[in-house]
Amino acid sequence: MLSQYLIIMLKPKLFTTLKDYNKQQFISDLTAGVIVGIVALPLAIAFGIASGITPEKGIITAIIAGFIISAFGGSRVQIGGPTGAFIVIVYGIIQQYGMTGLMIATIMAGIILVIMGFARFGSIIKFIPYPVVVGFTSGIALLIFSTQIKDFFGLAMKSVPSEFHEKWISYAESFSTWNYYAFGIAVLSLLIMIFWPKITHRIPGSLIAIIVSTLLVYFLKLPVETIGSRFGEIPSQIPEPHLYTINLAVIKNLIAPATTIALLAAIESLLSAVVADGMIGGKHRSNMELIAQGLANIASPIFGGIPATGAIARTATNIKNGGRTPVAGIVHAITLLLIMLFFGKLAKLIPMATLAAILVIVSYNMSEWRSFKSLLKSPRSDVIVLLTTFLLTVIFDLTIAIQIGMILAVILFMRRMAIVTNVGVITRELSDEEEAYDPNAISKREVPESVEVFEINGPFFFGAASTFKDAMRVLEEPPKVRIIRMRNVPAIDATGLHTLEEFYKDSKKQGTTIILSGVHTQPLYAMTQAGLLDLFGEENVFGNIDDALDRAREILGLPKKGRPKDFVPSVRREMNSPQTQ
């Protein structure tokens, strides 16, 4: 059994997809790969510089790590490389441990990721609470934005403090030195990236902004700092591999930053893979994905690169342009390599203000402010987790933020309820011994054709939400009506609310009407606060299964049957008041 599991787990998606590969798919993958490679170029340069290293290291990371993640990963369409999430971490590690420390920490992180993959941690990562993810992601976005003020305004500052509040104090003190040429270039670049998508999505707005701003600065001789004036010539080749000495003393010193890199890489890559699954209707191999991420982070620093992970924006670009197999990701890496070899020297002409504008857009997209805003309407415990994680990320450190955010989530989870949760599919033929004593069991009801009933038992928290998603994927043919029975769900958290919202949207696309049955006070209150009650419609939310089944019959144009004689009203509706959240 173990050997069979290892064979399946260690089978990259590339090998699976090549079985039915054809010329038409290759053309689609080739087109998508070239486009993603062009999109990745300015981002790789910007992420490299923002992380406190030279720009070519960002490109090297995208080439080496991008190739390995696509060739050995567990996702069909994942695009790997440097991402905005790592900017703050990389910059902090360099400040504390130096460049060599960063490289060794990245290799250690890669080893940790490989171990996580073999230990089958891929399925565990998805249980990280949604408020924790949104909290540290929004915090990172704010930190990235704060690092770009100097170049966006062209401030004459020798160095920028690492602490968040000290940065803004220094900006205020130096604001009189702002360069209106640099500011003009930054604003122009920002406007191009905002409005260019209205013209076409095929060519990225960031590339157009770089071309236009670079030509303006070069031909008009504008006094604006460029990559060349700050870093000098950019090498147009990949350096020879360099090995590092790792001993017990080094491991003890760097285990904390290495673990942070590994955890963030795992979260980001699997989140990206899940998003990609939703877009293509696929299913990634999470453990294989972790192993590929580990191999990429081991190889990247050997060639002078930095930490890498799956990039959601580039993965989405790949999908939208027709990429459906890992070949597209491999082509993306080769495209970047060719650009670096033949056009790398031209990158020195790019204005720093333009790169700052690119990162401002990146930070805005990362901020998830809509999710942040909606989470503020969640139960108080989730709001506490969200704000704590966010503030700790901004003021202190991402490592501390994730650790404390997770601990808080677990404590609050146990405080609410520590009951094992399960989700089951209930059909007309189902007959369970326990249901013999339950007068309201679904087996005692007649469920019409084209109607599916799902029952959730236990508190609908982050762990249950994942189980719920998996259960929903079991159905091959979506029914016309799906009843979600929640009579045994005493409490729901932000992840549960988010899952219900996503599920509603997916069902609407499939033409399936969702009806909620037996909703208790706390879930009902939480859903009302989050706006889900309006989304589902009050006409589709019922206190008992019989009314829900009658509503389903009404939708299907069938006669109602009403409640049976042995109907027992639920007395649990008042068990959990809003104050117990």
Side-chain angles (χ1 to χ4, degrees):
M1 289 292 293
L2 179 61
S3 60
Q4 290 178 348
Y5 165 74
L6 289 175
I7 291 173
I8 296 173
M9 186 185 72
L10 295 176
K11 190 174 184 180
K13 278 288 187 177
L14 177 63
F15 299 162
T16 303
T17 55
L18 288 181
K19 291 180 181 179
D20 304 318
Y21 206 64
N22 54 50
K23 182 180 178 181
Q24 183 179 0
Q25 186 57 61
F26 174 72
I27 293 174
S28 298
D29 287 339
L30 180 66
T31 303
V34 171
I35 292 173
V36 176
I38 295 172
V39 170
L41 178 66
L43 293 174
I45 293 173
F47 291 151
I49 293 174
S51 299
I53 57 175
T54 51
E56 79 277 2
K57 293 187 183 298
I59 304 177
I60 291 170
T61 305
I63 295 170
I64 302 296
F67 181 89
I68 293 174
I69 289 171
S70 293
F72 300 101
S75 171
R76 284 174 168 265
V77 291
Q78 182 88 283
I79 300 296
T83 65
F86 279 122
I87 290 176
V88 178
I89 295 175
V90 171
Y91 186 84
I93 294 174
I94 291 175
Q95 296 296 311
Q96 189 171 355
Y97 302 102
M99 196 65 196
T100 301
L102 171 66
M103 298 303 176
I104 296 175
T106 305
I107 293 174
M108 289 171 58
I111 295 172
I112 293 172
L113 283 164
V114 172
I115 294 172
M116 289 170 68
F118 277 107
R120 302 171 67 176
F121 276 20
S123 57
I124 297 175
I125 294 294
K126 62 186 177 183
F127 290 120
I128 293 178
Y130 188 59
V132 174
V133 175
V134 174
F136 76 69
T137 303
S138 300
I140 290 172
L142 180 57
L143 290 173
I144 293 173
F145 174 77
S146 69
T147 62
Q148 299 310 304
I149 301 301
K150 173 182 179 294
D151 290 331
F152 195 91
F153 288 93
L155 303 180
M157 300 171 62
K158 291 183 180 180
S159 61
V160 178
S162 57
E163 297 296 329
F164 177 77
H165 66 283
E166 291 179 358
K167 277 189 181 73
W168 288 97
I169 292 173
S170 297
Y171 292 150
E173 293 174 349
S174 306
F175 198 75
S176 59
T177 65
W178 74 296
N179 182 334
Y180 54 86
Y181 289 107
F183 178 70
I185 290 295
V187 171
L188 175 63
S189 302
L190 207 61
L191 292 174
I192 290 174
M193 286 184 284
I194 292 172
F195 293 105
W196 182 258
K198 297 183 184 297
I199 299 175
T200 180
H201 287 276
R202 304 289 293 182
I203 303 174
S206 56
L207 181 64
I208 301 300
I210 283 178
I211 293 173
V212 172
S213 61
T214 300
L215 291 175
L216 284 174
V217 170
Y218 181 77
F219 286 108
L220 298 180
K221 307 296 181 185
L222 300 179
V224 174
E225 190 174 25
T226 63
I227 291 177
S229 63
R230 181 178 294 184
F231 298 101
E233 288 288 332
I234 297 179
S236 57
Q237 60 183 11
I238 295 179
E240 296 181 0
H242 178 77
L243 299 178
Y244 298 88
T245 302
I246 302 178
N247 52 45
L248 187 59
V250 172
I251 292 174
K252 287 182 177 179
N253 197 34
L254 295 173
I255 188 63
T259 303
T260 302
I261 292 172
L263 185 58
L264 188 58
I267 294 171
E268 287 287 309
S269 62
L270 295 182
L271 280 176
S272 177
V274 169
V275 171
D277 285 346
M279 295 179 72
I280 65 173
K283 179 72 174 176
H284 72 283
R285 295 170 184 151
S286 56
N287 295 312
M288 189 66 238
E289 186 64 26
L290 288 181
I291 292 173
Q293 296 290 334
L295 296 175
N297 280 283
I298 291 172
S300 177
I302 291 176
F303 291 93
I306 59 175
T309 185
I312 294 177
R314 275 159 277 173
T315 298
T317 302
N318 179 35
I319 295 169
K320 290 176 181 177
N321 286 281
R324 287 298 181 273
T325 77
V327 173
I330 293 173
V331 171
H332 137 268
I334 295 172
T335 301
L336 281 169
L337 176 62
L338 294 175
I339 292 174
M340 183 178 184
L341 293 176
F342 297 105
F343 303 102
K345 292 184 178 180
L346 295 176
K348 69 178 182 180
L349 303 175
I350 298 174
M352 295 299 299
T354 300
L355 295 179
I358 291 173
L359 287 172
V360 166
I361 293 291
V362 169
S363 63
Y364 175 81
N365 292 333
M366 275 187 67
S367 66
E368 297 193 48
W369 65 269
R370 292 182 181 86
S371 298
F372 195 99
K373 182 180 177 182
S374 66
L375 279 172
L376 293 176
K377 301 176 183 177
S378 302
R380 285 195 296 271
S381 56
D382 293 308
V383 175
I384 291 170
V385 172
L386 172 71
L387 295 179
T388 300
T389 309
F390 174 76
L391 292 174
L392 287 175
T393 301
V394 173
I395 298 173
F396 294 102
D397 179 70
L398 180 62
T399 307
I400 297 173
I402 294 177
Q403 291 173 350
I404 295 181
M406 286 296 294
I407 292 171
L408 266 177
V410 170
I411 291 174
L412 292 169
F413 169 74
M414 291 188 296
R415 172 180 173 270
R416 284 192 262 189
M417 202 163 293
I419 301 173
V420 175
T421 303
N422 63 80
V423 180
V425 185
I426 305 170
T427 63
R428 294 184 303 277
E429 294 79 18
L430 180 63
S431 179
D432 192 278
E433 290 181 359
E434 294 182 2
E435 291 185 346
Y437 305 97
D438 181 7
N440 293 327
I442 195 66
S443 60
K444 301 180 184 299
R445 304 295 189 272
E446 183 181 339
V447 180
E449 294 289 342
S450 301
V451 176
E452 289 283 352
V453 181
F454 279 76
E455 183 160 3
I456 306 170
N457 295 309
F460 197 29
F461 295 121
F462 48 88
S466 176
T467 310
F468 181 80
K469 288 180 181 178
D470 292 339
M472 291 297 111
R473 294 194 182 102
V474 173
L475 298 178
E476 295 181 1
E477 283 293 329
K480 293 182 180 179
V481 179
R482 183 176 285 133
I483 299 174
I484 307 298
R485 200 173 187 190
M486 301 176 67
R487 61 175 178 161
N488 293 322
V489 180
I492 189 170
D493 75 342
T495 306
L497 293 170
H498 180 69
T499 302
L500 281 178
E501 183 178 2
E502 283 188 332
F503 178 60
Y504 171 83
K505 292 177 180 177
D506 291 341
S507 298
K508 189 175 181 180
K509 291 178 183 177
Q510 297 172 343
T512 300
T513 301
I514 302 299
I515 297 174
L516 301 180
S517 168
V519 185
H520 287 276
T521 304
Q522 192 277 342
L524 187 64
Y525 179 82
M527 290 170 61
T528 303
Q529 291 292 100
L532 288 187
L533 195 61
D534 293 333
L535 192 67
F536 284 95
E538 291 188 23
E539 70 277 9
N540 292 322
V541 180
F542 296 91
N544 63 80
I545 187 62
D546 296 297
D547 290 342
L549 287 170
D550 271 345
R551 170 60 178 160
R553 294 185 183 99
E554 181 185 343
I555 293 172
L556 296 174
L558 301 174
K560 295 182 179 181
K561 292 208 169 185
R563 299 175 182 177
K565 294 180 180 180
D566 60 349
F567 170 77
V568 178
S570 173
V571 295
R572 301 185 184 183
R573 291 292 295 271
E574 302 303 325
M575 287 177 61
N576 297 282
S577 66
Q579 286 74 24
T580 64
Q581 297 176 71

